[in-house]
Amino acid sequence: MLYVYKNMGIGIDRMGKQQFIFLSVLLMLIALFTSRALLTTSFILFLLLTCFHKDFVVQLIRFAKKPLLIGMSFLFFIPFVTWFWAEDKQMWAQFIRIKIPLFLFPLAFAGDWQLSEKQWKRVAYFFLMLLLAGCAWSLWHYALDAEAINKNYLKAKLLMTPLDNDHVRYSLLVCIGLICSVMLFRKSMLKSEKIILALFGAFFLVYLHVLSARTGLLAAYIFAFAGLLYLLLFSQKRKRNIFLIAGILLLMPVAAWYFFPTFQNRIRYVTYDFSFVKNEKYLPGTSDGNRMVSYKAGWKILKENPFGVGADVGAKTNQWYDQNFPQMNANDRILPSSEFLMYAAFAGWISLALFILAMILPLVEKIKTEKFFWILLNVVMVFSFLFDIGLEAQFGVFIYSFVVLWWWKWLNMPGINST
């Protein structure tokens, strides 16, 4: 029997609706790599398909009963309520506009819709193919003028990437692709498919070393060594093979130093930059130095404003720079470069506690299958928020909310067995 839904005045049966949702998910992934405007449009289409129906009240109740969804929505509502004490209402509106998917995505995924296992697998492969194309595009630009780009790495200028050249978020996305490849490899029963997935994973790992954006590269090593520890503790296979893999991973940075000039020059720049950080000296244009100074600004704001400063965090940070680093260039004056400090600045200690809770809830969420990969996905996300403010950018908000909820739906499909 077909159950008929009335969406936007059009009768769509359950299977038809499922297909449209599947296509809207693919469209959002395409948009992520191609167009901000299309990303917004495809997001709205996804919301129309998942939220506009006669049982929306039931969906709201389902949303309210899921701690994971409520926790993610905190990340929107915390800055939202700061309207009452924020002086800069325009900046408040800008924060809210960027963060609204942190509420609307959980609401959409609370619906009783579900894609098939085959469709979710196609979403995963489509995601990997887009990543592969994006990495190839990036490497093509590198090949056009490798010598000049290698020299630029000594000035903290990295090679071009998709996502409007957002190196941090794209490297995180490639790391997620690596995790996804390994998870699919583990689930696959076909030798040919395993070979393809192994090539995917190896390529992404090599690319992360060539790009040498620290967020994605360090996250990949966190995943790799967590995987080795898991195999060592729980695998029944020959331990010698596990130690062989461990040796390869330990030698990878050494090999990258000799084979990838970008990696070598990136390490040299980081070492040079760190010497100024260690001596607490300000050097215009440095990345780590500016980041460390921004941490001090964020911590000072929290201590002086235990209930936060709302959307005025930018003004308060700049005020701190004026008082403590008046010589600092305007381009170097960044917001506190950690989401933990940003949320603490929004609404104080309570906000920081709620943010930490929102980060913990996915780790304790009940998942039917592939629990290890689910946990590592979220650990990688939390790691990125320690040293980056991804939730203050459109791409960062989309990557976090969509990927986590996509995996939550996928790994909790009815009828699958726990592993």
Side-chain angles (χ1 to χ4, degrees), residues 382-395:
V382 174
F383 168 77
S384 73
F385 293 150
L386 283 171
F387 309 104
D388 180 53
I389 51 174
L391 298 182
E392 314 310 318
Q394 181 188 22
F395 290 137

Side-chain angles (χ1 to χ4, degrees), residues 149 152-153 155-161 165 167-168 210-214 266:
I149 292 173
N152 282 338
Y153 266 69
K155 304 174 184 178
K157 296 181 180 179
L158 278 61
L159 62 94
M160 290 183 65
T161 68
N165 212 27
H167 309 103
V168 176
V210 175
L211 178 62
S212 293
R214 284 169 298 178
R266 182 65 170 160

Side-chain angles (χ1 to χ4, degrees), residues 47-290:
L47 291 177
L48 290 174
L49 290 167
T50 55
C51 294
F52 282 73
H53 53 81
K54 63 183 179 63
D55 293 324
F56 181 67
V57 174
V58 176
Q59 186 165 329
L60 275 174
I61 295 172
R62 286 169 56 88
F63 165 79
K65 290 181 177 181
K66 297 292 183 181
L68 172 70
L69 304 182
I70 293 294
M72 187 176 289
S73 70
F74 283 167
L75 304 178
F76 167 76
F77 284 109
I78 289 170
F80 181 82
V81 299
T82 64
W83 181 88
F84 294 101
W85 61 87
E87 295 181 8
D88 191 341
K89 304 300 184 186
Q90 185 175 356
M91 183 59 68
W92 175 87
Q94 182 175 327
F95 279 124
I96 295 307
R97 177 181 57 81
I98 291 172
K99 292 176 183 292
I100 197 168
L102 294 168
F103 167 58
L104 295 182
F105 259 138
L107 187 60
F109 275 85
D112 67 351
W113 62 271
Q114 179 62 281
L115 302 185
S116 67
E117 172 63 25
K118 182 181 291 187
Q119 285 175 320
W120 281 128
K121 190 174 180 180
R122 287 175 177 173
V123 169
Y125 269 104
F126 191 66
F127 169 66
L128 295 179
M129 290 300 297
L130 287 171
L131 269 181
L132 181 67
C135 294
W137 177 85
S138 177
L139 292 173
W140 177 72
H141 279 279
Y142 177 50
L144 291 177
D145 197 359
E147 185 177 353
I149 292 173
N150 290 337
K151 291 179 180 179
N152 282 338
Y153 266 69
L154 293 171
K155 304 174 184 178
K157 296 181 180 179
L158 278 61
L159 62 94
M160 290 183 65
T161 68
L163 275 60
D164 291 347
N165 212 27
D166 190 332
H167 309 103
V168 176
R169 256 65 73 180
Y170 189 68
S171 70
L172 177 63
L173 205 60
V174 175
C175 178
I176 294 169
L178 172 64
I179 298 172
C180 188
S181 299
V182 176
M183 183 176 71
L184 289 171
F185 178 90
R186 182 183 182 278
K187 291 164 68 76
S188 176
M189 302 297 291
L190 300 175
K191 184 177 180 180
S192 58
E193 186 177 22
K194 281 182 173 290
I195 293 173
I196 293 172
L197 290 166
L199 291 174
F200 267 121
F203 177 79
F204 292 145
L205 195 55
V206 168
Y207 176 81
L208 284 171
H209 283 86
V210 175
L211 178 62
S212 293
R214 284 169 298 178
T215 298
L217 186 57
L218 291 176
Y221 274 100
I222 290 172
F223 167 67
F225 283 106
L228 280 173
L229 181 62
Y230 179 87
L231 290 175
L232 191 61
L233 294 175
F234 302 108
S235 176
Q236 301 301 317
K237 297 180 180 179
R238 295 172 62 183
K239 301 296 183 183
R240 187 173 65 179
N241 293 338
I242 297 173
F243 286 115
L244 176 62
I245 297 172
I248 292 172
L249 282 175
L250 289 172
L251 289 173
M252 281 192 66
V254 178
W257 173 272
Y258 287 105
F259 288 102
F260 305 134
T262 52
F263 181 83
Q264 184 180 129
N265 288 349
R266 182 65 170 160
I267 295 297
R268 286 174 171 168
Y269 175 80
V270 169
T271 304
Y272 165 77
D273 194 1
F274 184 73
S275 66
F276 288 89
V277 174
K278 184 174 64 174
N279 296 321
E280 297 186 346
K281 292 182 179 180
Y282 164 65
L283 180 69
T286 60
S287 56
D288 287 331
N290 296 339

Side-chain angles (χ1 to χ4, degrees), residues 277-335:
V277 174
K278 184 174 64 174
N279 296 321
E280 297 186 346
K281 292 182 179 180
Y282 164 65
L283 180 69
T286 60
S287 56
D288 287 331
N290 296 339
R291 183 176 289 109
M292 294 303 295
V293 172
S294 77
Y295 293 154
K296 294 180 179 180
W299 179 243
K300 187 68 173 179
I301 290 171
L302 176 60
K303 288 198 298 183
E304 293 180 352
N305 302 272
F307 296 102
V309 296
D312 302 326
V313 57
K316 293 294 184 181
T317 304
N318 198 53
Q319 183 180 334
W320 184 89
Y321 286 136
D322 287 337
Q323 295 172 353
N324 296 274
F325 287 87
Q327 76 276 22
M328 199 170 197
N329 295 336
N331 291 336
D332 291 339
R333 297 187 173 198
I334 59 176
L335 292 169

